[in-house]
Amino acid sequence: MSTKVPAANVRLKRAYEPPAAQDGTRILVDRLWPRGVSKESAALDDWMKDIAPSADLRKWFGHAPERWEEFRGRYAKEVRQRPDLLDRLQSLARRGPVTLVYSAHDEAHNDAVVLRDLILEQRT
């Protein structure tokens, strides 16, 4: 299927922010559960641990902004090795809003940012 994913359908939200009706399908995209967040308050529809960065990559990155560009490339490579998971996210986002939930403090340098770009990327 090559139908484009509308950019407005892929949203990002920290796990510590309250859920909202406009979030649509809420998917945790971290390998680790967010500290201090209960399952009830997270209000998740799914937890896709397997699409999160590998433990080695996550530890290497350490949310260091100077490693951001290298992290983006390495993580994109990991995600592309799991096309089934990326296709699933793209399919959900074609049908309606999807919110990628993450726990990182840095809203600009985290795995959900990279994942959003990959979901919106149009493969030919």
Side-chain angles (χ1 to χ4, degrees), residues 25-87:
T25 303
R26 291 173 51 86
I27 302 171
L28 180 62
V29 294
D30 288 343
R31 193 165 299 278
L32 305 175
W33 188 264
R35 288 184 187 165
V37 176
S38 70
K39 288 184 180 183
E40 294 77 26
S41 66
L44 298 171
D45 296 293
D46 199 356
W47 181 10
M48 293 182 71
K49 292 181 204 181
D50 292 336
I51 203 160
S54 65
D56 288 344
L57 180 57
R58 181 178 51 80
K59 289 174 186 175
W60 171 84
F61 176 45
H63 297 283
E66 64 274 11
R67 293 184 175 169
W68 173 242
E69 289 305 319
E70 179 72 17
F71 171 78
R72 286 176 59 94
R74 289 184 186 189
Y75 179 46
K77 184 177 178 182
E78 285 186 359
V79 171
R80 288 187 180 109
Q81 292 173 353
R82 296 297 310 263
D84 55 320
L85 297 177
L86 182 57
D87 289 347

